[in-house]
């Protein structure tokens, strides 16, 4: 039995997923790495959320915290993760095992580390279906074959007999997608599902996710470096920097009216197909901070052209800059003193 309390929001409706003030750290011989530092995210039924940010910003660790799959030295330090109103941080390991794959499916960043190299694709899919859906072996195999064809793997019956290393990167990614979807989860978390793939295969995987989403209504959380993918796919976007959300809003808010210098920098550093050749790409100068010693003030300040005195001294909260649009930058402070 889950002992977590039911979280009900102001409209008296229970959210599908509500991450509230989450802090996750890794404890290393050098000290505490604050990988996720006070992150709050909401996801509704059938919604698609994009999480973007540079490498090391805490995107994967946030979602691995939701799945409670952190490495041994990692721990949720504080905060809550409500799934349909129940706090997953209070779930026992047995309860989490029943939830993983069945209610929340995840496509992991590296398919080779998450597919078991010593079992065939068929074995791994069938085992998961038997465990979560309670089907008999034969029905589970039929369902596994059906899932492989759903993700457009040619000759699925033959593929069932193959081992992960016998498949190309694109095919492995499809198998991971099939595994994540085979029990019809309420939420699919896709962690950089296209990064290691070439451009044509990337487009195929994204089309596949779009198609599966429109057919099944599953809510999707897409973690990616690729802002282009986010624009065409996501209803809303969270931009992460150094373990925190620095801007969140609808895709339109983030792309047309970004209010954080980091988001603006990210947008300038990716190609815009509509303006092809007309504009120069500008990388964001500098590097993210060391999370063992995060700065007292805004973590982006050392790289920011607009940094003010207050940015070095204090951490900006997420200022509301529009309906459902927040930006963690003092430039959005409603009455910022001129001397700041
Ligand atoms: N097991 C670990 N021990 C110590 N630090 C860790 C561990 N796993 C992750 N980290 C640190 O946590 C921070 C966030 O990592 P995370 O994997 O979430 O980044 P990310 O945004 O997913 O990056 P990428 O885009 O490269 O996948 C990084 O600074 C990383 O070095
Ligand atoms: Mg990652």
């Amino acid at each position: 039995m889950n002992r977590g309390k039911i979280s009900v929001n102001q409209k008296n409706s229970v959210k599908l997923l509500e991450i509230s003030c989450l802090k996750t750290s890794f404890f290393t011989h050098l000290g505490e790495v604050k990988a996720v530092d006070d992150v709050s995210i909401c996801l509704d039924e059938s919604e698609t959320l994009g999480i973007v940010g540079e490498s090391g910003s805490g995107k994967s660790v946030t979602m691995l915290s939701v799945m409670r799959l952190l490495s041994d030295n990692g721990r949720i330090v504080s905060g809550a993760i409500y799934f349909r109103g129940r706090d997953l941080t209070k779930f026992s390991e047995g309860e989490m095992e029943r939830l993983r794959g069945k209610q929340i499916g995840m496509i992991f960043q590296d398919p080779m580390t998450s597919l078991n190299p010593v079992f065939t694709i068929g074995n791994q899919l069938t085992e998961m279906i038997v465990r979560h859906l309670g089907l008999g072996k034969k029905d589970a195999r039929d369902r596994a074959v059906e899932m492989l064809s759903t993700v457009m793997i040619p000759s699925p019956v033959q593929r069932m007999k193959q081992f992960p290393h016998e498949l190309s990167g694109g095919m492995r990614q499809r198998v991971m997608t099939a595994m994540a979807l085979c029990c019809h989860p309420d939420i699919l978390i896709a962690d950089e599902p296209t990064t290691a793939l070439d451009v044509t295969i990337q487009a195929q995987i994204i089309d596949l996710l779009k198609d599966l989403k429109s057919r099944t209504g599953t809510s999707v959380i897409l973690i990616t470096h690729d802002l282009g993918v986010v624009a065409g796919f996501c209803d809303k976007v969270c931009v992460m920097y150094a373990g925190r959300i620095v801007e969140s809003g609808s895709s339109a808010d983030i792309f047309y009216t970004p209010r954080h210098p980091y988001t603006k920098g990210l947008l300038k550093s990716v190609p815009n197909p509509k303006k092809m050749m007309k504009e120069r790409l500008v990388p964001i100068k500098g590097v993210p901070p060391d999370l063992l010693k995060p700065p007292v003030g805004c973590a982006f300040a050392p790289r920011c052209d607009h940094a003010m005195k207050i940015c070095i001294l204090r951490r900006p909260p997420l200022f509301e800059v529009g309906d459902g649009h927040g930006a963690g930058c003092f430039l959005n402070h409603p009455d910022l003193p001129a001397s700041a």
Side-chain angles (χ1 to χ4, degrees):
M1 268 299 289
N2 166 48
R3 294 166 300 281
K5 68 179 172 81
I6 301 271
S7 148
V8 177
N9 63 18
Q10 283 162 343
K11 287 184 195 151
N12 244 9
S13 64
V14 175
K15 289 264 177 206
L16 181 58
L17 182 72
E18 191 174 356
I19 302 176
S20 172
C21 309
L22 178 71
K23 292 190 181 195
T24 299
S25 291
F26 293 96
F27 296 88
T28 70
H29 65 283
L30 293 172
E32 180 181 355
V33 178
K34 293 185 174 178
V36 176
D37 192 4
D38 205 11
V39 160
S40 296
I41 292 175
C42 263
L43 181 75
D44 275 326
E45 306 272 357
S46 300
E47 223 172 23
T48 310
L49 166 75
I51 303 187
V52 294
E54 279 168 303
S55 189
S57 54
K59 307 180 295 296
S60 297
V61 174
T62 303
M63 287 306 138
L64 290 171
S65 306
V66 171
M67 298 300 274
R68 294 257 312 270
L69 287 174
L70 297 166
S71 57
D72 289 346
N73 64 337
R75 187 159 55 83
I76 295 174
V77 177
S78 61
I81 301 168
Y82 298 105
F83 171 70
R84 296 202 180 286
R86 301 196 174 272
D87 187 356
L88 299 185
T89 65
K90 305 275 192 315
F91 272 35
S92 68
E93 187 43 40
E95 287 170 320
M96 278 313 293
E97 264 173 34
R98 285 190 289 282
L99 178 122
R100 279 185 215 118
K102 185 150 196 258
Q103 281 155 310
I104 309 182
M106 182 156 176
I107 306 174
F108 295 93
Q109 191 160 5
D110 178 1
M112 238 4 222
T113 53
S114 29
L115 286 171
N116 191 326
V118 299
F119 291 108
T120 61
I121 300 303
N123 266 333
Q124 297 187 54
L125 273 168
T126 309
E127 199 264 335
M128 184 157 177
I129 295 167
V130 169
R131 181 153 41 99
H132 283 311
L133 298 185
L135 297 183
K137 261 255 155 75
K138 160 92 181 56
D139 289 342
R141 284 193 75 77
D142 290 347
R143 173 124 182 85
V145 172
E146 185 192 315
M147 275 319 294
L148 290 180
S149 22
T150 307
V151 296
M152 284 174 280
I153 289 190
S155 323
V157 178
Q158 282 72 37
R159 295 286 180 183
M160 291 276 284
K161 298 179 200 135
Q162 291 188 306
F163 290 89
H165 71 268
E166 296 177 83
L167 303 180
S168 68
M171 283 297 151
R172 279 202 290 267
Q173 202 56 268
R174 280 166 196 261
V175 170
M176 284 296 299
T177 310
M179 278 185 96
L181 287 169
C182 66
C183 302
H184 286 314
D186 299 322
I187 304 174
L188 171 70
I189 302 171
D191 191 352
E192 305 271 10
T194 61
T195 311
L197 308 173
D198 68 53
V199 180
T200 358
I201 312 289
Q202 279 183 14
Q204 286 174 11
I205 297 282
I206 293 300
D207 283 348
L208 175 69
L209 287 179
K210 279 185 192 163
D211 179 52
L212 290 170
K213 189 191 146 36
S214 68
R215 278 193 285 145
T216 60
T218 303
S219 299
V220 179
I221 298 178
L222 177 71
I223 299 178
T224 179
H225 285 99
D226 190 339
L227 279 166
V229 169
V230 171
F233 186 41
C234 297
D235 303 313
K236 52 187 202 185
V237 181
C238 289
V239 180
M240 285 193 77
Y241 186 77
R244 293 171 75 89
I245 291 183
V246 293
E247 184 154 9
S248 64
S250 67
S251 283
D253 292 334
I254 300 297
F255 284 93
Y256 298 119
T257 52
R259 298 288 290 269
H260 195 290
Y262 179 63
T263 313
K264 292 180 188 174
L266 279 183
L267 288 167
K268 278 192 201 141
S269 62
V270 294
N272 178 344
K274 288 194 185 130
K275 296 185 188 166
M276 199 99 87
M277 309 305 284
K278 284 188 200 150
E279 73 180 345
R280 205 162 51 90
L281 297 183
V282 190
I284 305 174
K285 62 176 195 288
V287 289
D290 180 356
L291 296 180
L292 278 165
K293 295 183 218 81
V296 194
C298 169
F300 188 61
R303 301 171 75 183
C304 181
D305 290 336
H306 309 280
M308 304 169 282
K309 227 186 293 167
I310 190 171
C311 308
I312 313 291
L313 300 173
R314 281 185 36 203
R315 244 179 202 191
L318 212 58
F319 295 103
E320 197 177 326
V321 292
D323 191 16
H325 185 185
C329 169
F330 283 117
L331 291 173
N332 299 291
H333 195 298
D335 30 48
L336 186 73
S339 62

